[in-house]
Amino acid sequence: MSFVLHPRLMADTAVIVDWTLSRVLLMNDKRFPWIVLVPRRPELHELFDLDDAARTQLTGEISRAGERLRAWSKLRGRGGDKINVGIIGNLVPQLHVHVVSRCKTDAAWPAPVWGHGQPEPYGAVELMRVVGEIRDAL
Amino acid sequence: MSFVLHPRLMADTAVIVDWTLSRVLLMNDKRFPWIVLVPRRPELHELFDLDDAARTQLTGEISRAGERLRAWSKLRGRGGDKINVGIIGNLVPQLHVHVVSRCKTDAAWPAPVWGHGQPEPYGAVELMRVVGEIRDAL
C-alpha cells in the first residue's frame, strides 16, 4: 500500500514541500499561519504507530516547522507569540500534525484554533505567495 | 535554576509518577482520561527549546503515555477511540504536553477537549484510585 493524502486534508490545504518523512501542507485559513505535517506512510493513525526512528524523525520535523514558522510569523508581523502543536485526528483518521503560530491578538487567542469559528480561505494569488514564502522560510 | 511545576498545573492535576524526563500528571477532570507530561527542566516554553536528545526522549514518553492510556481506557470502558496530543501553552507558558484518551461518546467529541465546558473534578477517593490505576498501567 502506498501513501495517499486524505481527501479532507487535500481539500483544506496547499502543498508546501515534501520533507524526509512528512508532506508539509499550508492550511488554507488566513486567520492563522498554520502548517500540517503528514508522514508519508500508509495506515498511520496514532503517534505510536510509527517506529522509534520515524517518530524521532517526525519530532525533528515538527520542531523545525515550529521554529521556522515562528520566525516567519514574526518577520511578517503575524505573531509568533506561541507555537501550538496538535495531533488530534478525531475527524480525519490519517496521522497528521498541526503546527500553528499564534498571536495574542489573533481571532481565537487564548483558545486553540481547532473548531474555532469558520476558516477564511486565502485568495488564489495570496495562497501561492504565502506557500512560496513559507517554503523558503522552512 | 531548578524545575518548579507551574502553579496552575499544580492546582489542576495530581502527580502520577516521574519518568526519565517528564513529570506525569493526571488532569483532575473525570470527563476524560487526561495525562499531562511536563519535562522536568527549567525555562522550557516550546518543543524546540529542548535539545535533540531530550526531544527524542519526550517523544518516546508521549508515545508510551498515549499507547498505555489507550489500553487502560479500553479496559475500563472509558474510550480509547483516539489519542489526542496537544502542546499549546497559551495560558500556561511552562512546556507541557496533553495526552488525552478520547471516546466517540465523550462530552466534547469530536471537538478537542481544550476549553470545552467546565472540568468535573474527581472525588478524593476516586482521584487516588485513578492515579494508582494509571500509574500501574503506564
Side-chain angles (χ1 to χ4, degrees):
Chain A
M1 241 185 130
S2 61
F3 168 76
V4 180
L5 189 64
H6 189 283
R8 172 83 181 258
L9 289 172
M10 191 172 291
D12 292 346
T13 67
V15 177
I16 298 174
V17 67
D18 275 356
W19 278 349
T20 302
L21 178 60
S22 305
R23 180 151 297 167
V24 184
L25 306 167
L26 178 72
M27 186 66 80
N28 189 9
D29 185 346
K30 64 183 177 185
R31 297 176 301 163
F32 314 103
W34 182 343
I35 282 174
V36 180
L37 304 181
V38 188
R40 298 196 317 281
R41 296 186 180 181
E43 297 295 311
L44 297 175
H45 306 290
E46 300 280 6
L47 186 62
F48 46 84
D49 292 338
L50 293 166
D51 59 38
D52 286 356
R55 207 157 52 221
T56 297
Q57 177 68 33
L58 178 60
T59 306
E61 294 183 356
I62 295 168
S63 191
R64 173 177 165 177
E67 192 162 15
R68 298 188 182 181
L69 186 64
R70 182 175 72 166
W72 178 83
S73 309
K74 287 187 171 182
L75 195 69
R76 287 296 168 189
R78 293 187 64 187
D81 293 325
K82 187 70 187 71
I83 295 296
N84 292 174
V85 175
I87 308 176
I88 305 174
N90 300 343
L91 296 170
V92 173
Q94 182 174 59
L95 179 63
H96 61 287
V97 184
H98 301 274
V99 179
V100 191
S101 181
R102 303 299 306 278
C103 177
K104 290 180 181 176
T105 57
D106 73 30
W109 186 273
V113 298
W114 305 290
H116 186 95
Q118 293 304 311
E120 295 178 14
Y122 293 96
V125 173
E126 192 183 8
L127 181 64
M128 288 181 62
R129 182 182 58 75
V130 173
V131 163
E133 281 192 16
I134 294 182
R135 184 186 292 124
D136 291 344
L138 292 180
Chain B
M1 239 184 133
S2 61
F3 168 75
V4 180
L5 189 64
H6 189 283
R8 172 83 181 259
L9 289 172
M10 190 172 292
D12 292 347
T13 68
V15 177
I16 298 174
V17 68
D18 275 355
W19 279 348
T20 302
L21 179 60
S22 306
R23 179 152 299 167
V24 184
L25 306 167
L26 178 72
M27 186 66 80
N28 189 9
D29 185 345
K30 63 184 179 185
R31 297 175 302 164
F32 314 104
W34 183 342
I35 281 175
V36 179
L37 304 181
V38 188
R40 298 196 317 281
R41 295 186 181 182
E43 298 294 311
L44 297 175
H45 306 290
E46 300 280 6
L47 187 62
F48 46 83
D49 292 338
L50 292 166
D51 58 39
D52 286 356
R55 208 156 52 222
T56 298
Q57 177 68 33
L58 178 61
T59 307
E61 294 183 355
I62 294 168
S63 191
R64 172 177 166 178
E67 192 161 16
R68 298 189 182 182
L69 186 64
R70 183 175 71 167
W72 179 83
S73 310
K74 287 187 171 179
L75 195 69
R76 288 295 167 187
R78 294 188 62 187
D81 293 325
K82 186 69 187 69
I83 295 297
N84 292 173
V85 176
I87 308 176
I88 306 174
N90 300 344
L91 296 171
V92 173
Q94 182 175 60
L95 179 63
H96 61 287
V97 184
H98 301 273
V99 179
V100 191
S101 181
R102 303 298 307 277
C103 176
K104 289 180 181 175
T105 57
D106 73 30
W109 186 271
V113 297
W114 305 289
H116 186 94
Q118 294 303 311
E120 295 179 13
Y122 292 98
V125 173
E126 192 183 10
L127 182 63
M128 287 181 63
R129 181 181 59 74
V130 172
V131 164
E133 281 192 16
I134 293 183
R135 184 186 294 125
D136 290 345
L138 292 180

